[in-house]
Amino acid sequence: MAYRVVQWSTGNVGRHAIAGIAARPDLDLVGVWVSTVDKVGRDAGELAGLGRELGVVATDDVEELLALRPDCVVYTAMADDRLMEAIDDLRRILRAGINVVSSSPVFLQFPKGTVPDEVSEPVRRAAADGGVSLWVNGIDPGFANDLLPLALTGISERVDQVRCLEILDYSTYHNRKVLFDIMGFGGALSDIPLLLQPGVLSLAWGSVVRQLASGLDIELDGVEESYQRLPAPETFEIGTGEIAAGTAAGLRFEVRGMRGGRAVCVLEHVTRLRPDIGPDWPQPAGQGCYRVEVTGEPNYTLDLTLLGSDGDHNTAGLKATAMRLVNAIPAVVAAPPGLLTALDLPLITGRGLSR
């Protein structure tokens, strides 16, 4: 019997989730939620760009979808600039007795120590009331800095530091709000965007270093953050607009889990809009990569390169986030009720080989 699934949003990640649900014989797409009126009534296959219809039409009616009583909702609606609204959405779905796998809000992937209990407790209570589970994950925060590094430490004699890096060119990441408004690309270096406001990096990725520390049985003293920005050397165009000379075109930041005055678990992002920006910053393997560096005995470096079938690394990253969630549906449905972390679930794999 297939698990009945509702897809919540059809944006950059959601469209890939629809494709992933349709590709798994043990999943049955029964509903799709959309945020814009122009998508209401359109077939899910069309919205996902599959070139075929799936026989499921999109709606913006939440009660209609909850009434379907699906086994799981794949929640990929953006939460960066609507945290409380997203939390309210999740609570509503959970209270209705429906499991959720979600790409946001990212701090819920491991909220202990990242946010006050009063932020996460209403979500836990909703899951308990509904007798269901919520799991927040993706590629980053997610697989690239939970399962991947923890698995690598399994062949270590001693671990002194685990560093997880995302090294990507975002020029083909087609989300103007994220790039320009939240990350501050194309803006004056003197203007501090939402992402770089004090504490926001630790809110978004503090869960990463705290979960790593928990997996390694390390008690952190605290979390620190820092960043560096670089200007565009000249005016140039990316897919979502113009980057004027002198405006922000490179961003490097760290979120560090500290123990005894030393960084033991580190999340680092190196984000460029052109390959020649920040030539002395870490360089990717291939077009872009997620890198894990384990310092200890011995030292390890592991590069996970990304490339979509369309030749773009950012497409691969979006697909990875979608499939991390979709492939976890059976495990999350089977899990005890509550707010789950990557440390709670068994190994999650894809299904079968293409025929």
Side-chain angles (χ1 to χ4, degrees):
M1 179 178 174
Y3 296 95
R4 301 173 72 252
V5 181
V6 163
Q7 172 56 39
W8 205 282
S9 89
T10 58
N12 278 346
V13 175
R15 62 194 303 271
H16 292 295
I18 290 173
I21 294 166
R24 286 190 59 134
D26 61 338
L27 302 180
D28 183 14
L29 183 69
V30 297
V32 175
W33 180 87
V34 291
S35 60
T36 56
V37 174
D38 64 306
K39 292 183 179 182
V40 172
R42 294 169 62 184
D43 187 87
E46 176 195 355
L47 293 173
L50 299 183
R52 59 188 175 92
E53 292 191 350
L54 297 179
V56 178
V57 296
T59 181
D60 59 0
D61 188 330
V62 173
E63 290 302 325
E64 177 184 334
L65 293 173
L66 298 182
L68 294 172
R69 302 290 299 169
D71 297 295
C72 191
V73 163
V74 181
Y75 187 93
T76 56
M78 190 170 126
D80 295 14
D81 59 347
R82 48 180 296 277
L83 286 178
M84 298 316 298
E85 292 93 332
I87 289 175
D88 287 344
D89 287 343
L90 295 175
R91 291 174 61 196
R92 186 175 182 182
I93 298 166
L94 294 167
R95 281 198 305 267
I98 302 166
N99 296 282
V100 182
V101 292
S102 176
S103 56
S104 60
V106 292
F107 56 77
L108 288 176
Q109 76 148 353
F110 195 86
K112 183 179 180 181
T114 304
V115 294
D117 288 344
E118 55 263 31
V119 176
S120 59
E121 185 55 32
V123 179
R124 295 182 191 276
R125 191 161 53 248
D129 291 345
V132 290
S133 293
L134 166 66
W135 189 60
V136 176
N137 213 262
I139 183 67
D140 181 344
F143 176 83
N145 33 61
D146 55 42
L147 179 62
L148 202 62
L150 289 174
L152 189 57
T153 65
I155 50 174
S156 295
E157 176 187 308
R158 187 189 76 251
V159 178
D160 298 328
Q161 184 189 85
V162 178
R163 178 178 293 265
C164 303
L165 300 93
E166 178 190 88
I167 312 173
L168 294 178
D169 180 335
Y170 269 35
S171 60
T172 59
Y173 184 73
H174 299 299
N175 189 321
R176 183 178 176 87
K177 176 177 284 190
V178 169
L179 289 178
F180 287 77
D181 299 340
I182 294 173
M183 300 184 74
F185 287 117
L189 293 177
S190 58
D191 293 338
I192 307 302
L194 175 62
L195 183 65
L196 303 180
Q197 295 292 325
V200 173
L201 289 174
S202 295
L203 176 65
W205 283 276
S207 59
V208 166
V209 297
R210 292 184 185 280
Q211 183 167 241
L212 278 174
S214 180
L216 294 169
D217 196 25
I218 297 171
E219 185 175 344
L220 296 179
D221 299 325
V223 172
E224 299 178 355
E225 62 183 52
S226 63
Y227 67 86
Q228 179 184 0
R229 304 167 83 193
L230 291 178
E234 61 193 20
T235 298
F236 62 94
E237 293 283 336
I238 62 173
T240 51
E242 180 183 273
I243 305 299
T247 64
L251 172 63
R252 182 181 184 182
F253 67 77
E254 285 188 1
V255 178
R256 298 179 292 274
M258 306 298 294
R259 173 71 176 178
R262 185 167 58 88
V264 292
C265 298
V266 183
L267 183 285
E268 179 178 358
H269 275 211
V270 179
T271 310
R272 301 174 170 90
L273 297 185
R274 267 188 9 187
D276 61 337
I277 293 170
D280 58 331
W281 288 357
Q283 297 293 330
Q287 288 188 20
C289 74
Y290 288 96
R291 178 171 296 158
V292 178
E293 297 175 348
V294 177
T295 305
E297 178 55 41
N299 297 319
Y300 295 114
T301 298
L302 177 65
D303 281 334
L304 174 66
T305 61
L306 297 85
L307 192 64
S309 57
D310 61 355
D312 183 65
H313 55 282
N314 282 311
T315 301
L318 295 168
K319 177 71 75 173
T321 287
M323 294 314 302
R324 180 70 166 152
L325 301 177
V326 169
N327 288 331
I329 289 172
V332 171
V333 172
L339 180 53
L340 306 173
T341 76
L343 304 177
D344 299 319
L345 293 183
L347 179 66
I348 296 165
T349 68
R351 280 294 295 264
L353 300 173
S354 59
R355 291 179 172 83

